[in-house]
C-alpha cells in the first residue's frame, strides 16, 4: 500500500491496531502542497490531510514529494498524537518532557552541599601538591 519496506508497513499496521485505529474511521483527502519542491509540488496533490473520526484529530503532512510517503508519515504522526492523548503520562513524549524537567530542576540543599564538599576536597588535594620548581628549594 505504501512505498516502504514490508517490515515498516506491518509495524505501522500493528501500531494502528493496537490503538484501535481502523481505515474505515480515517477520512483522507489530498491537497496541493506549499513551499519547496518545485513544479512537481505545484502541479500534483501530494499533501495528505488525515482525519480520525472518533477522536476528531487531524493531521496534515507534506514531508515528502510523493503522495504515498506522505500517507505513511501522516499515519505515523496520527498514531503519535492519539498515543499521547490516550496514554497521557506514559507516552514517550511525556516521558521525554518529564526527563528534561528533572534535569533542569534545582538541586536539593543536601545535593548542593555534597557537590561543594567534593570541590573543597579537590582544592585541598591541589594545595598539597608540590610544584617541580619548589623541589630545588627543599
Amino acid at each position: 500500500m505504501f512505498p516502504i519496506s514490508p517490515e515498516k508497513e506491518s509495524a505501522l499496521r500493528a501500531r494502528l491496531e493496537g490503538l484501535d485505529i481502523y481505515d474505515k474511521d480515517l477520512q483522507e483527502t489530498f491537497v496541493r502542497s506549499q513551499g519547496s519542491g518545485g513544479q512537481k509540488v505545484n502541479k500534483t496533490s501530494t499533501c495528505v490531510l488525515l482525519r480520525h473520526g472518533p477522536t476528531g484529530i487531524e493531521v496534515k503532512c507534506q514531508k515528502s514529494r510523493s503522495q504515498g510517503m506522505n500517507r505513511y508519515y501522516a499515519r505515523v504522526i496520527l498514531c503519535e498524537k492519539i498515543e499521547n492523548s490516550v496514554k497521557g503520562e506514559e507516552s514517550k513524549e511525556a516521558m521525554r518532557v518529564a526527563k528534561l524537567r528533572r534535569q533542569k530542576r534545582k538541586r536539593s540543599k543536601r545535593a548542593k552541599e555534597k557537590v561543594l564538599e567534593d570541590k573543597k576536597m579537590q582544592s585541598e588535594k591541589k594545595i598539597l601538591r608540590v610544584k617541580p620548581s619548589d623541589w630545588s628549594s627543599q
Side-chain angles (χ1 to χ4, degrees), residues 46-130:
T46 54
C47 182
V48 176
L49 188 65
L50 197 62
R51 180 185 178 95
H52 185 242
T55 58
I57 295 176
E58 280 189 11
V59 172
K60 186 176 183 181
C61 182
Q62 61 179 33
K63 274 186 181 180
S64 172
R65 284 172 54 179
S66 81
Q67 190 181 75
M69 286 303 295
N70 283 334
R71 291 178 72 206
Y72 170 75
Y73 289 135
R75 281 170 172 75
V76 170
I77 294 168
L78 181 73
C79 281
E80 289 171 1
K81 283 190 172 191
I82 291 178
E83 200 171 72
N84 283 343
S85 66
V86 169
K87 291 190 177 177
E89 288 290 320
E90 299 168 13
S91 69
K92 287 182 184 177
E93 181 66 19
M95 288 172 66
R96 186 185 68 80
V97 169
K99 181 180 177 184
L100 282 172
R101 192 174 292 130
R102 281 194 308 273
Q103 287 174 344
K104 290 183 177 184
R105 73 177 174 211
K106 282 182 144 182
R107 284 195 176 119
S108 68
K109 195 171 184 179
R110 187 173 180 185
K112 278 185 196 174
E113 287 172 359
K114 185 176 179 186
V115 169
L116 289 174
E117 188 177 315
D118 289 343
K119 282 186 172 185
K120 188 175 182 182
M121 293 284 286
Q122 189 64 29
S123 70
E124 286 174 3
K125 279 187 207 174
K126 281 187 163 185
I127 290 171
L128 293 175
R129 291 183 191 151
V130 179

Side-chain angles (χ1 to χ4, degrees), residues 5-31:
S5 66
E7 295 86 24
K8 282 188 177 181
E9 188 169 347
S10 62
L12 177 65
R13 292 253 174 250
R15 193 171 176 195
L16 287 168
E17 286 176 17
L19 292 169
D20 295 328
I21 303 171
Y22 304 104
D23 282 337
K24 64 180 181 184
D25 297 334
L26 299 177
Q27 181 184 3
E28 192 172 39
T29 32
F30 305 103
V31 292

